[in-house]
mmCIF file of all heavy atoms in Angstrom:
data_model
loop_
_atom_site.group_PDB
_atom_site.id
_atom_site.type_symbol
_atom_site.label_atom_id
_atom_site.label_comp_id
_atom_site.label_asym_id
_atom_site.label_seq_id
_atom_site.Cartn_x
_atom_site.Cartn_y
_atom_site.Cartn_z
ATOM 1 N N THR A 742 0.833 -1.190 0.000
ATOM 2 C CA THR A 742 0.000 0.000 0.000
ATOM 3 C C THR A 742 0.871 1.244 0.000
ATOM 4 O O THR A 742 1.697 1.439 0.890
ATOM 5 C CB THR A 742 -0.907 0.018 1.248
ATOM 6 O OG1 THR A 742 -1.627 -1.219 1.351
ATOM 7 C CG2 THR A 742 -1.891 1.172 1.201
ATOM 8 N N LYS A 743 0.693 2.102 -0.998
ATOM 9 C CA LYS A 743 1.450 3.348 -1.071
ATOM 10 C C LYS A 743 0.815 4.380 -0.135
ATOM 11 O O LYS A 743 -0.408 4.395 0.042
ATOM 12 C CB LYS A 743 1.469 3.833 -2.517
ATOM 13 C CG LYS A 743 2.446 4.949 -2.816
ATOM 14 C CD LYS A 743 2.413 5.311 -4.295
ATOM 15 C CE LYS A 743 3.074 4.305 -5.175
ATOM 16 N NZ LYS A 743 3.133 4.676 -6.611
ATOM 17 N N ALA A 744 1.641 5.231 0.468
ATOM 18 C CA ALA A 744 1.159 6.222 1.439
ATOM 19 C C ALA A 744 0.338 7.331 0.791
ATOM 20 O O ALA A 744 -0.224 8.184 1.476
ATOM 21 C CB ALA A 744 2.331 6.818 2.218
ATOM 22 N N TYR A 745 0.285 7.351 -0.518
ATOM 23 C CA TYR A 745 -0.625 8.200 -1.293
ATOM 24 C C TYR A 745 -1.203 7.315 -2.379
ATOM 25 O O TYR A 745 -1.148 6.077 -2.244
ATOM 26 C CB TYR A 745 0.092 9.443 -1.829
ATOM 27 C CG TYR A 745 1.400 9.156 -2.578
ATOM 28 C CD1 TYR A 745 1.465 9.133 -3.947
ATOM 29 C CD2 TYR A 745 2.580 8.934 -1.868
ATOM 30 C CE1 TYR A 745 2.656 8.881 -4.614
ATOM 31 C CE2 TYR A 745 3.782 8.674 -2.535
ATOM 32 C CZ TYR A 745 3.803 8.643 -3.896
ATOM 33 O OH TYR A 745 4.984 8.381 -4.554
ATOM 34 N N THR A 746 -1.753 7.843 -3.436
ATOM 35 C CA THR A 746 -2.385 7.000 -4.455
ATOM 36 C C THR A 746 -1.882 7.390 -5.838
ATOM 37 O O THR A 746 -1.713 8.584 -6.124
ATOM 38 C CB THR A 746 -3.932 7.137 -4.421
ATOM 39 O OG1 THR A 746 -4.411 6.985 -3.087
ATOM 40 C CG2 THR A 746 -4.585 6.078 -5.299
ATOM 41 N N THR A 747 -1.645 6.384 -6.682
ATOM 42 C CA THR A 747 -1.294 6.638 -8.077
ATOM 43 C C THR A 747 -2.089 5.692 -8.977
ATOM 44 O O THR A 747 -2.586 4.654 -8.546
ATOM 45 C CB THR A 747 0.215 6.428 -8.347
ATOM 46 O OG1 THR A 747 0.564 5.064 -8.073
ATOM 47 C CG2 THR A 747 1.056 7.351 -7.496
ATOM 48 N N ARG A 748 -2.177 6.084 -10.231
ATOM 49 C CA ARG A 748 -2.813 5.234 -11.226
ATOM 50 C C ARG A 748 -2.202 5.519 -12.588
ATOM 51 O O ARG A 748 -1.908 6.676 -12.921
ATOM 52 C CB ARG A 748 -4.315 5.480 -11.254
ATOM 53 C CG ARG A 748 -5.059 4.794 -12.345
ATOM 54 C CD ARG A 748 -6.554 4.684 -12.182
ATOM 55 N NE ARG A 748 -6.983 3.519 -12.959
ATOM 56 C CZ ARG A 748 -8.195 3.023 -12.968
ATOM 57 N NH1 ARG A 748 -9.143 3.578 -12.215
ATOM 58 N NH2 ARG A 748 -8.465 1.942 -13.700
ATOM 59 N N VAL A 749 -2.040 4.465 -13.399
ATOM 60 C CA VAL A 749 -1.581 4.594 -14.783
ATOM 61 C C VAL A 749 -2.759 4.287 -15.705
ATOM 62 O O VAL A 749 -3.517 3.345 -15.467
ATOM 63 C CB VAL A 749 -0.411 3.638 -15.088
ATOM 64 C CG1 VAL A 749 -0.078 3.658 -16.578
ATOM 65 C CG2 VAL A 749 0.823 4.011 -14.289
ATOM 66 N N GLY A 750 -2.914 5.057 -16.771
ATOM 67 C CA GLY A 750 -3.968 4.779 -17.730
ATOM 68 C C GLY A 750 -5.285 5.441 -17.366
ATOM 69 O O GLY A 750 -5.373 6.270 -16.450
ATOM 70 N N SER A 751 -6.320 5.055 -18.068
ATOM 71 C CA SER A 751 -7.633 5.669 -17.910
ATOM 72 C C SER A 751 -8.390 5.054 -16.733
ATOM 73 O O SER A 751 -7.981 4.061 -16.155
ATOM 74 C CB SER A 751 -8.446 5.495 -19.201
ATOM 75 O OG SER A 751 -7.737 5.981 -20.325
ATOM 76 N N GLY A 752 -9.510 5.684 -16.399
ATOM 77 C CA GLY A 752 -10.382 5.153 -15.368
ATOM 78 C C GLY A 752 -10.574 6.099 -14.209
ATOM 79 O O GLY A 752 -9.871 7.116 -14.080
ATOM 80 N N PRO A 753 -11.535 5.806 -13.330
ATOM 81 C CA PRO A 753 -11.843 6.696 -12.210
ATOM 82 C C PRO A 753 -10.697 6.803 -11.219
ATOM 83 O O PRO A 753 -9.954 5.842 -11.019
ATOM 84 C CB PRO A 753 -13.066 6.022 -11.563
ATOM 85 C CG PRO A 753 -12.962 4.579 -11.957
ATOM 86 C CD PRO A 753 -12.366 4.587 -13.327
ATOM 87 N N PHE A 754 -10.591 7.952 -10.596
ATOM 88 C CA PHE A 754 -9.549 8.203 -9.607
ATOM 89 C C PHE A 754 -10.070 9.338 -8.722
ATOM 90 O O PHE A 754 -9.744 10.506 -8.948
ATOM 91 C CB PHE A 754 -8.251 8.579 -10.313
ATOM 92 C CG PHE A 754 -7.030 8.711 -9.433
ATOM 93 C CD1 PHE A 754 -5.769 8.837 -9.998
ATOM 94 C CD2 PHE A 754 -7.111 8.728 -8.045
ATOM 95 C CE1 PHE A 754 -4.630 8.959 -9.209
ATOM 96 C CE2 PHE A 754 -5.986 8.844 -7.248
ATOM 97 C CZ PHE A 754 -4.743 8.981 -7.837
ATOM 98 N N PRO A 755 -10.864 9.026 -7.698
ATOM 99 C CA PRO A 755 -11.543 10.065 -6.926
ATOM 100 C C PRO A 755 -10.618 11.083 -6.273
ATOM 101 O O PRO A 755 -10.970 12.262 -6.159
ATOM 102 C CB PRO A 755 -12.320 9.265 -5.860
ATOM 103 C CG PRO A 755 -12.535 7.921 -6.477
ATOM 104 C CD PRO A 755 -11.306 7.669 -7.288
ATOM 105 N N THR A 756 -9.426 10.669 -5.808
ATOM 106 C CA THR A 756 -8.553 11.587 -5.074
ATOM 107 C C THR A 756 -7.447 12.189 -5.933
ATOM 108 O O THR A 756 -6.502 12.789 -5.406
ATOM 109 C CB THR A 756 -7.914 10.887 -3.856
ATOM 110 O OG1 THR A 756 -7.032 9.848 -4.310
ATOM 111 C CG2 THR A 756 -8.976 10.301 -2.935
ATOM 112 N N GLU A 757 -7.540 12.036 -7.247
ATOM 113 C CA GLU A 757 -6.504 12.575 -8.137
ATOM 114 C C GLU A 757 -6.358 14.080 -7.946
ATOM 115 O O GLU A 757 -7.340 14.810 -7.831
ATOM 116 C CB GLU A 757 -6.840 12.264 -9.589
ATOM 117 C CG GLU A 757 -5.768 12.725 -10.582
ATOM 118 C CD GLU A 757 -6.037 12.303 -12.008
ATOM 119 O OE1 GLU A 757 -7.184 11.856 -12.298
ATOM 120 O OE2 GLU A 757 -5.108 12.395 -12.839
ATOM 121 N N GLN A 758 -5.103 14.540 -7.932
ATOM 122 C CA GLN A 758 -4.797 15.954 -7.771
ATOM 123 C C GLN A 758 -4.184 16.506 -9.058
ATOM 124 O O GLN A 758 -2.993 16.335 -9.324
ATOM 125 C CB GLN A 758 -3.841 16.163 -6.596
ATOM 126 C CG GLN A 758 -4.392 15.726 -5.238
ATOM 127 C CD GLN A 758 -5.594 16.524 -4.826
ATOM 128 O OE1 GLN A 758 -5.543 17.742 -4.642
ATOM 129 N NE2 GLN A 758 -6.734 15.847 -4.674
ATOM 130 N N LEU A 759 -5.007 17.178 -9.845
ATOM 131 C CA LEU A 759 -4.525 17.773 -11.095
ATOM 132 C C LEU A 759 -4.044 19.193 -10.802
ATOM 133 O O LEU A 759 -4.574 20.176 -11.311
ATOM 134 C CB LEU A 759 -5.640 17.762 -12.139
ATOM 135 C CG LEU A 759 -6.133 16.361 -12.548
ATOM 136 C CD1 LEU A 759 -7.390 16.456 -13.401
ATOM 137 C CD2 LEU A 759 -5.038 15.610 -13.287
ATOM 138 N N ASN A 760 -3.013 19.266 -9.978
ATOM 139 C CA ASN A 760 -2.517 20.546 -9.492
ATOM 140 C C ASN A 760 -1.070 20.374 -9.041
ATOM 141 O O ASN A 760 -0.443 19.358 -9.313
ATOM 142 C CB ASN A 760 -3.401 21.065 -8.341
ATOM 143 C CG ASN A 760 -3.617 19.986 -7.262
ATOM 144 O OD1 ASN A 760 -2.756 19.142 -7.037
ATOM 145 N ND2 ASN A 760 -4.766 20.021 -6.587
ATOM 146 N N ASP A 761 -0.560 21.361 -8.314
ATOM 147 C CA ASP A 761 0.832 21.309 -7.857
ATOM 148 C C ASP A 761 1.071 20.153 -6.883
ATOM 149 O O ASP A 761 2.180 19.618 -6.808
ATOM 150 C CB ASP A 761 1.228 22.629 -7.196
ATOM 151 C CG ASP A 761 1.400 23.759 -8.210
ATOM 152 O OD1 ASP A 761 1.532 23.457 -9.420
ATOM 153 O OD2 ASP A 761 1.395 24.938 -7.791
ATOM 154 N N ILE A 762 0.053 19.779 -6.119
ATOM 155 C CA ILE A 762 0.201 18.666 -5.182
ATOM 156 C C ILE A 762 0.462 17.372 -5.955
ATOM 157 O O ILE A 762 1.394 16.616 -5.650
ATOM 158 C CB ILE A 762 -1.047 18.526 -4.284
ATOM 159 C CG1 ILE A 762 -1.130 19.706 -3.323
ATOM 160 C CG2 ILE A 762 -1.019 17.202 -3.514
ATOM 161 C CD1 ILE A 762 -2.438 19.787 -2.570
ATOM 162 N N GLY A 763 -0.366 17.117 -6.967
ATOM 163 C CA GLY A 763 -0.175 15.928 -7.796
ATOM 164 C C GLY A 763 1.166 15.944 -8.505
ATOM 165 O O GLY A 763 1.842 14.909 -8.607
ATOM 166 N N LYS A 764 1.566 17.126 -8.993
ATOM 167 C CA LYS A 764 2.849 17.263 -9.674
ATOM 168 C C LYS A 764 4.004 16.986 -8.723
ATOM 169 O O LYS A 764 4.958 16.282 -9.068
ATOM 170 C CB LYS A 764 2.968 18.663 -10.267
ATOM 171 C CG LYS A 764 4.228 18.884 -11.093
ATOM 172 C CD LYS A 764 4.278 20.308 -11.643
ATOM 173 C CE LYS A 764 5.572 20.539 -12.423
ATOM 174 N NZ LYS A 764 5.667 21.948 -12.905
ATOM 175 N N THR A 765 3.901 17.506 -7.491
ATOM 176 C CA THR A 765 4.954 17.299 -6.495
ATOM 177 C C THR A 765 5.082 15.834 -6.113
ATOM 178 O O THR A 765 6.180 15.292 -6.014
ATOM 179 C CB THR A 765 4.675 18.153 -5.239
ATOM 180 O OG1 THR A 765 4.629 19.531 -5.616
ATOM 181 C CG2 THR A 765 5.760 17.953 -4.195
ATOM 182 N N LEU A 766 3.939 15.165 -5.886
ATOM 183 C CA LEU A 766 3.956 13.744 -5.560
ATOM 184 C C LEU A 766 4.614 12.939 -6.677
ATOM 185 O O LEU A 766 5.429 12.046 -6.424
ATOM 186 C CB LEU A 766 2.533 13.231 -5.325
ATOM 187 C CG LEU A 766 1.822 13.688 -4.053
ATOM 188 C CD1 LEU A 766 0.341 13.301 -4.088
ATOM 189 C CD2 LEU A 766 2.492 13.108 -2.810
ATOM 190 N N GLY A 767 4.286 13.270 -7.917
ATOM 191 C CA GLY A 767 4.847 12.555 -9.062
ATOM 192 C C GLY A 767 6.342 12.748 -9.199
ATOM 193 O O GLY A 767 7.084 11.807 -9.486
ATOM 194 N N GLU A 768 6.802 13.997 -8.998
ATOM 195 C CA GLU A 768 8.229 14.295 -9.132
ATOM 196 C C GLU A 768 9.036 13.661 -8.005
ATOM 197 O O GLU A 768 10.068 13.036 -8.235
ATOM 198 C CB GLU A 768 8.441 15.810 -9.163
ATOM 199 C CG GLU A 768 7.930 16.460 -10.453
ATOM 200 C CD GLU A 768 8.014 17.977 -10.412
ATOM 201 O OE1 GLU A 768 8.287 18.543 -9.316
ATOM 202 O OE2 GLU A 768 7.802 18.613 -11.477
ATOM 203 N N ARG A 769 8.563 13.818 -6.782
ATOM 204 C CA ARG A 769 9.283 13.252 -5.641
ATOM 205 C C ARG A 769 9.307 11.731 -5.680
ATOM 206 O O ARG A 769 10.307 11.092 -5.373
ATOM 207 C CB ARG A 769 8.630 13.700 -4.332
ATOM 208 C CG ARG A 769 8.861 15.149 -3.963
ATOM 209 C CD ARG A 769 8.296 15.365 -2.576
ATOM 210 N NE ARG A 769 8.343 16.759 -2.150
ATOM 211 C CZ ARG A 769 7.833 17.183 -1.009
ATOM 212 N NH1 ARG A 769 7.262 16.322 -0.184
ATOM 213 N NH2 ARG A 769 7.914 18.465 -0.686
ATOM 214 N N GLY A 770 8.170 11.151 -6.058
ATOM 215 C CA GLY A 770 8.046 9.698 -6.059
ATOM 216 C C GLY A 770 8.548 9.034 -7.319
ATOM 217 O O GLY A 770 8.476 7.801 -7.427
#
């Protein structure tokens, strides 16, 4: 279990962050 959430590809993602938070998580991780 990751301490946050990620997904590859299409489909629902209720907690997705299309903002600086999501960008930061992606870059750091």
Side-chain angles (χ1 to χ4, degrees):
T742 308
K743 192 178 286 184
Y745 51 100
T746 311
T747 62
R748 173 163 206 173
V749 172
S751 306
F754 187 170
T756 66
E757 183 175 13
Q758 298 297 298
L759 297 170
N760 50 31
D761 287 343
I762 291 170
K764 184 180 178 183
T765 301
L766 289 170
E768 290 174 350
R769 287 187 185 176

